[in-house]
Amino acid sequence: MSTTAEPDREDDAETRRERLTRLFGGGWIFLLLIFLIALFAALRPMQFGSAYNLSQLTINAAILLVLSIGQTFVIVTAGIDLAIGAVLVFASVLSAKTMLWLAGAAGTTFGTTDASWLVIGIGSLVAVAAGMAWGAVSGWLVAVARIPALIVTLGTFGMALGLAQIITGGVDVRAMPERLVIHVGAGSIAGVPTLVVIAVVVTAGAAVVLHLTRFGTRVFAIGSNAEAARRAGINVRAYVIAIYMISGALAGVGAVMSNARFSTTTIGGHGMDNLTTISAVVLGGTSLFGGVGSIAGTVIGVFIPIILLNGFVILGIPPFWQTVAMGAVLIVAVWVDQLKRRAQERG
């Protein structure tokens, strides 16, 4: 009796460890995050642990987290979205132009405009719709035209960024609704920055969809084996298009957040968002080969570069070293992922 009970307990314990490992991005990256927090808190407790610094850390992570959530869905299906930053720029420009037009202000207006919440709501919907449209284009080209995702999203990256520059003449729209800037960009809800609240809501919703719904189960199935998923009756093409639309829609949400925070479009400020989000997602334990990943892991992966840069600045280390450190950590993360896959194949 005891001999059968002991293996059962061992199997249950192993299952729990596997679940925790998947949830927290492979375990070691979670420990790395804790180590970085403890290190900078010990070296500069007054600066790093201050309420202002912690608030800035979460605000800096908010937009990147929203973009990385969309990238997570894509990479779980063994895809990639290099256009995510350019789509954000295009959506932010289209949204800002729409709000200026509805408010009756010229496109070159500096400062803030007295646009109503209705105008802001319409502008936000325009941003999300623009992002979804680009996602639909990318998804269709990947799923139906069978063009590699790397090539497709590299192409849509150039198209979205180029159209944004054509619309604006290469000059940022430097006027935003005052209510958007004050209440969203610099505002707070129950003491929590509004941008952080938005990121938390998006993260919670994405976690439910990816981990607790049939849609999420099928996303993982497509990433694990697309052909097997197709034979099981899953409409793989429709799901891939939907996944890229989710990524585009979240880029639109990020565009609204960016406009609110900076009170201007930032045409030249998102060129590295694609690589940054990919790094964050992979650091969080999502496999580039698809079929493995978690939203919680992505959250951890997002905070690694944010805390590194913040800690380096506080310590007076040139921020260029953050790029070196992130590159090294990313290579190690991919290497560990490959080692795990080889071990599974042997097992």
Side-chain angles (χ1 to χ4, degrees), residues 66-282:
V66 170
L67 296 180
S68 298
I69 294 297
Q71 190 76 260
T72 301
F73 277 84
V74 174
I75 295 180
V76 164
T77 61
I80 200 106
D81 190 355
L82 296 179
I84 198 164
V87 170
L88 183 154
V89 170
F90 178 86
S92 69
V93 165
L94 212 59
S95 175
K97 285 285 189 179
T98 300
M99 290 187 290
L100 282 175
W101 179 71
L102 291 174
T108 56
T109 301
F110 282 71
T112 55
T113 62
D114 189 25
S116 66
W117 282 112
L118 176 60
V119 170
I120 294 171
I122 294 173
S124 300
L125 289 175
V126 166
V128 174
M132 289 181 68
W134 279 110
V137 170
S138 295
W140 187 89
L141 291 172
V142 171
V144 180
R146 299 294 184 90
I147 303 173
L150 181 71
I151 302 301
V152 167
T153 56
L154 188 61
T156 51
F157 169 88
M159 292 166 65
L161 184 59
L163 285 174
Q165 293 170 330
I166 291 170
I167 293 171
T168 62
V171 179
D172 280 308
V173 180
R174 303 181 185 275
M176 294 292 160
E178 185 176 5
R179 290 179 176 86
L180 179 66
V181 175
I182 292 177
H183 296 290
V184 178
S188 61
I189 300 175
V192 180
T194 306
L195 293 176
V196 176
V197 172
I198 294 172
V200 169
V201 170
V202 169
T203 301
V208 170
V209 170
L210 188 60
H211 299 295
L212 299 177
T213 67
R214 181 179 298 177
F215 179 89
T217 301
R218 292 180 174 180
V219 168
F220 280 106
I222 292 169
S224 297
N225 191 322
E227 183 58 31
R230 185 178 294 106
R231 293 183 179 183
I234 298 174
N235 189 339
V236 174
R237 289 183 177 180
Y239 270 81
V240 170
I241 293 172
I243 288 161
Y244 278 92
M245 289 179 69
I246 289 172
S247 181
L250 292 180
V253 174
V256 177
M257 296 168 70
S258 178
N259 284 349
R261 184 183 181 193
F262 300 109
S263 189
T264 176
T265 59
T266 49
I267 295 175
H270 297 277
M272 295 297 292
D273 282 358
N274 48 11
L275 299 182
T276 304
T277 56
I278 292 169
S279 299
V281 173
V282 173

